Amino acid sequence: MNRIILIGFMGAGKTTVGKRLAKRLAIPFFDTDQLIEKQEGMTVSRIFEEFGEPRFRELETRLLQTRWTDQEQWVLSAGGGLPLRDENRKLLKQAGKVAYLRVQTDTVLRRLKGDTSRPLLQGEDVRGRVDALLSCRGPLYEEAADFVVDADGKSPEDILRELLRLTDTL
Ligand code: S3P
């Protein structure tokens, strides 16, 4: 079975690495943010702006509950906040093998400098916010994960190699 889910903080490289992993394994790639944007016909930022974060979280849970996760093989990149709900962590575990791409604040800030597409990281004191979010989310990501890959200072290819080694054991 090749059903691999990448979780982790914004900027961890889930989408970049996930696409490469799917290509290497010649299986489909999905990204929860992209699926939600397509389904709702608006960007994640717009959903936050117009309907608020709770509505977005609801859409994430609903997406995980749909039957597409039954498909044989895929790689899924999960939005950074998706594993926060208990229910979602359970659904992820049932759906496939979960790999946590772990990064520290400096990596997030470097990778997402100037990014305007993440509503949670706009405005003042982004470092403080990333620190706070990472420290409350870290344990939940770890709880949801079957594997942890430390992604700081690594290229997408490095991370891909580690994931391929891990996927051999799936
Ligand atoms: C979020 C992460 C984003 C997106 C939304 C909220 C979060 O996805 O789902 O902006 O709460 O961490 P990425 O992790 O793909 O950036």
Side-chain angles (χ1 to χ4, degrees):
M1 180 194 69
N2 260 334
R3 295 207 295 241
I4 303 157
I5 300 147
L6 302 182
I7 63 166
F9 204 74
M10 294 169 268
K14 302 175 298 275
T15 303
T16 308
V17 171
K19 277 186 184 158
R20 291 188 193 208
L21 178 61
K23 198 166 169 199
R24 186 71 68 89
L25 298 172
I27 61 179
F29 171 77
F30 301 102
D31 174 295
T32 59
D33 289 338
Q34 284 170 12
L35 289 172
I36 290 172
E37 288 186 338
K38 200 165 156 208
Q39 177 192 296
E40 299 302 300
M42 62 176 90
T43 62
V44 170
S45 297
R46 190 82 195 280
I47 298 171
F48 268 70
E49 215 174 281
E50 292 210 3
F51 305 106
E53 185 176 346
R55 166 74 182 157
F56 179 71
R57 300 301 173 202
E58 201 47 50
L59 292 170
E60 288 184 317
T61 300
R62 275 205 231 149
L63 183 71
L64 288 183
Q65 289 166 335
T66 58
R67 308 305 295 173
W68 68 269
T69 49
D70 288 350
Q71 280 181 50
E72 269 293 289
Q73 310 202 82
W74 38 257
V75 175
L76 174 71
S77 162
L82 185 144
L84 304 184
R85 283 191 176 186
D86 294 353
E87 185 184 1
N88 292 359
R89 289 197 299 284
K90 283 197 197 103
L91 289 164
L92 289 177
K93 287 248 186 211
Q94 285 161 14
K97 289 289 172 192
V98 182
Y100 168 29
L101 304 192
R102 185 163 56 194
V103 284
Q104 292 179 2
T105 301
D106 285 338
T107 302
V108 174
L109 294 178
R110 200 178 50 249
R111 296 217 184 127
L112 296 185
K113 195 160 187 245
D115 176 90
T116 54
S117 68
R118 269 84 169 189
L120 296 180
L121 301 183
Q122 306 309 305
E124 297 299 304
D125 191 23
V126 177
R127 175 177 289 275
R129 217 135 9 101
V130 172
D131 276 339
L133 285 170
L134 268 179
S135 55
C136 61
R137 290 180 175 193
L140 298 175
Y141 290 145
E142 276 162 27
E143 185 191 313
D146 295 299
F147 307 105
V148 181
V149 175
D150 280 309
D152 295 299
K154 291 181 187 158
S155 69
E157 274 307 308
D158 293 336
I159 300 168
L160 179 62
R161 258 194 303 278
E162 280 191 45
L163 283 171
L164 284 168
R165 256 203 316 276
L166 293 170
T167 53
D168 267 340
T169 69
L170 294 181

